[in-house]
Coordinates of all heavy atoms in Angstrom, one line a residue:
S1 N 3.2 -15.9 2.6 CA 2.4 -16.3 1.4 C 3.2 -16.0 0.1 O 4.2 -15.3 0.2 CB 1.1 -15.5 1.3 OG 1.3 -14.1 1.1
D2 N 2.7 -16.5 -1.0 CA 3.3 -16.0 -2.3 C 2.8 -14.6 -2.5 O 1.8 -14.1 -1.9 CB 2.7 -16.9 -3.4 CG 3.6 -18.1 -3.6 OD1 4.7 -18.2 -3.1 OD2 3.1 -19.1 -4.3
P3 N 3.6 -13.8 -3.3 CA 3.3 -12.4 -3.5 C 2.0 -12.2 -4.2 O 1.5 -12.9 -5.1 CB 4.4 -11.9 -4.4 CG 5.5 -12.9 -4.3 CD 4.8 -14.2 -4.0
I4 N 1.3 -11.1 -3.8 CA 0.2 -10.6 -4.5 C 0.6 -9.3 -5.1 O 1.1 -8.3 -4.5 CB -1.0 -10.3 -3.4 CG1 -1.4 -11.5 -2.7 CG2 -2.2 -9.6 -4.1 CD1 -2.2 -11.3 -1.4
K5 N 0.5 -9.2 -6.4 CA 0.9 -8.1 -7.2 C -0.1 -6.9 -7.0 O -1.3 -7.1 -7.2 CB 1.1 -8.4 -8.7 CG 1.8 -7.4 -9.5 CD 2.0 -7.9 -10.9 CE 2.7 -6.8 -11.8 NZ 3.0 -7.3 -13.2
L6 N 0.5 -5.7 -6.8 CA -0.4 -4.6 -6.5 C -0.4 -3.6 -7.7 O 0.6 -3.5 -8.4 CB 0.2 -3.8 -5.3 CG 0.2 -4.6 -4.0 CD1 0.9 -3.9 -2.9 CD2 -1.3 -5.0 -3.6
D7 N -1.5 -3.0 -7.9 CA -1.8 -2.3 -9.2 C -1.5 -0.8 -9.1 O -2.4 0.0 -9.1 CB -3.3 -2.5 -9.6 CG -3.5 -2.0 -11.0 OD1 -2.6 -1.8 -11.8 OD2 -4.7 -1.9 -11.3
F8 N -0.2 -0.5 -8.9 CA 0.3 0.9 -8.9 C 1.7 0.9 -9.2 O 2.5 -0.1 -9.0 CB -0.1 1.6 -7.6 CG 0.6 1.1 -6.4 CD1 1.9 1.5 -6.0 CD2 -0.1 0.1 -5.6 CE1 2.5 1.0 -4.9 CE2 0.5 -0.4 -4.5 CZ 1.8 0.0 -4.1
Q9 N 2.2 2.0 -9.7 CA 3.6 2.2 -10.0 C 4.3 2.9 -8.8 O 3.8 3.1 -7.8 CB 3.7 3.1 -11.3 CG 3.0 2.6 -12.5 CD 3.6 1.2 -12.9 OE1 4.8 1.1 -13.1 NE2 2.7 0.3 -13.2
G10 N 5.6 3.2 -9.0 CA 6.4 3.8 -8.0 C 7.1 2.8 -7.1 O 7.1 1.6 -7.4
I11 N 7.7 3.3 -6.1 CA 8.6 2.4 -5.2 C 8.3 2.8 -3.7 O 7.5 3.7 -3.4 CB 10.1 2.6 -5.4 CG1 10.5 4.1 -5.1 CG2 10.4 2.3 -6.9 CD1 12.0 4.3 -5.1
D12 N 8.9 2.0 -2.8 CA 8.8 2.2 -1.4 C 7.4 2.2 -0.8 O 7.1 3.1 0.0 CB 9.5 3.5 -1.0 CG 11.0 3.5 -1.2 OD1 11.5 2.5 -1.8 OD2 11.7 4.5 -0.8
P13 N 6.6 1.2 -1.1 CA 5.2 1.2 -0.6 C 5.3 0.9 0.9 O 6.1 0.1 1.4 CB 4.5 0.2 -1.4 CG 5.6 -0.8 -1.7 CD 6.8 0.1 -2.0
A14 N 4.3 1.5 1.7 CA 4.1 1.2 3.1 C 2.6 1.1 3.3 O 1.8 1.7 2.6 CB 4.7 2.2 4.0
I15 N 2.2 0.3 4.3 CA 0.8 0.1 4.5 C 0.5 0.5 5.9 O 1.3 0.4 6.9 CB 0.4 -1.4 4.3 CG1 -1.1 -1.6 4.2 CG2 1.0 -2.3 5.4 CD1 -1.5 -3.0 3.6
F16 N -0.7 1.1 6.1 CA -1.2 1.6 7.4 C -2.6 1.1 7.7 O -3.5 1.2 6.8 CB -1.2 3.2 7.4 CG -1.9 3.8 8.5 CD1 -1.4 3.7 9.8 CD2 -3.1 4.5 8.4 CE1 -2.0 4.3 10.9 CE2 -3.8 5.1 9.4 CZ -3.2 5.0 10.7
F17 N -2.8 0.6 8.9 CA -4.1 0.1 9.3 C -4.6 1.0 10.4 O -4.1 1.1 11.4 CB -3.9 -1.4 9.8 CG -3.4 -2.3 8.8 CD1 -2.1 -2.7 8.8 CD2 -4.2 -2.8 7.8 CE1 -1.6 -3.6 7.9 CE2 -3.7 -3.7 6.8 CZ -2.4 -4.1 6.9
D18 N -5.8 1.6 10.1 CA -6.4 2.5 11.0 C -7.3 1.7 12.0 O -7.6 0.6 11.8 CB -7.2 3.5 10.2 CG -7.3 4.9 11.0 OD1 -7.0 4.9 12.2 OD2 -7.7 5.9 10.4
D19 N -7.6 2.5 13.1 CA -8.4 1.8 14.2 C -9.8 1.4 13.7 O -10.4 0.5 14.2 CB -8.6 2.8 15.3 CG -7.3 3.3 15.9 OD1 -6.3 2.6 15.7 OD2 -7.2 4.5 16.4
D20 N -10.3 2.1 12.7 CA -11.7 1.8 12.2 C -11.7 0.6 11.2 O -12.8 0.4 10.6 CB -12.3 3.0 11.6 CG -11.5 3.6 10.4 OD1 -10.5 2.9 10.0 OD2 -11.9 4.7 9.9
G21 N -10.6 0.0 11.0 CA -10.6 -1.2 10.1 C -10.2 -0.8 8.7 O -9.9 -1.7 7.9
K22 N -10.1 0.5 8.4 CA -9.7 0.9 7.0 C -8.2 0.7 6.9 O -7.4 0.8 7.9 CB -10.1 2.3 6.7 CG -11.6 2.5 6.5 CD -12.0 3.9 6.1 CE -13.5 4.0 5.9 NZ -13.8 5.4 5.5
A23 N -7.7 0.6 5.7 CA -6.3 0.5 5.4 C -5.9 1.4 4.2 O -6.7 1.8 3.4 CB -5.9 -0.9 5.1
Y24 N -4.6 1.8 4.2 CA -4.1 2.7 3.2 C -2.7 2.3 2.8 O -1.9 1.7 3.6 CB -4.0 4.2 3.8 CG -5.4 4.6 4.3 CD1 -5.8 4.4 5.6 CD2 -6.3 5.4 3.5 CE1 -7.0 4.8 6.1 CE2 -7.5 5.8 4.0 CZ -7.8 5.5 5.3 OH -9.1 5.9 5.8
V25 N -2.3 2.6 1.6 CA -1.0 2.4 1.1 C -0.4 3.7 0.6 O -1.1 4.5 -0.1 CB -0.9 1.4 -0.1 CG1 0.4 1.4 -0.8 CG2 -1.2 0.0 0.4
V26 N 0.8 4.0 1.1 CA 1.5 5.2 0.7 C 2.8 4.8 0.0 O 3.4 3.7 0.3 CB 1.9 6.2 1.9 CG1 0.6 6.9 2.3 CG2 2.5 5.4 3.0
H27 N 3.3 5.6 -1.0 CA 4.5 5.2 -1.7 C 5.1 6.4 -2.4 O 4.4 7.5 -2.6 CB 4.2 4.1 -2.7 CG 3.3 4.5 -3.8 ND1 3.7 4.9 -5.0 CD2 1.9 4.5 -3.8 CE1 2.6 5.2 -5.8 NE2 1.5 4.9 -5.1
N28 N 6.3 6.3 -2.9 CA 7.0 7.3 -3.7 C 6.6 7.0 -5.1 O 6.4 5.9 -5.6 CB 8.5 7.0 -3.5 CG 9.3 7.6 -4.7 OD1 9.2 7.3 -5.8 ND2 10.3 8.4 -4.3
D29 N 6.4 8.1 -5.9 CA 6.1 8.0 -7.3 C 6.6 9.3 -8.0 O 7.0 10.2 -7.4 CB 4.6 7.9 -7.5 CG 4.2 7.2 -8.8 OD1 5.0 7.0 -9.7 OD2 3.0 6.8 -8.9
A30 N 6.5 9.2 -9.4 CA 6.9 10.4 -10.2 C 5.7 11.4 -10.1 O 4.6 11.0 -9.9 CB 7.1 9.9 -11.6

């Protein structure tokens, strides 16, 4: 797809999908 811009600063984001359907983003920041 075309990019979807995400509303946070920092770099190196990663995404995690849990068994219960929830999702999380982790990343480096100041």
Side-chain angles (χ1 to χ4, degrees):
S1 70
D2 275 346
I4 300 164
K5 189 173 179 179
L6 300 173
D7 190 17
F8 61 89
Q9 302 299 311
I11 62 170
D12 291 10
I15 197 163
F16 168 69
F17 300 102
D18 208 345
D19 304 333
D20 59 6
K22 290 185 177 180
Y24 305 85
V25 167
V26 286
H27 64 95
N28 160 303
D29 207 345

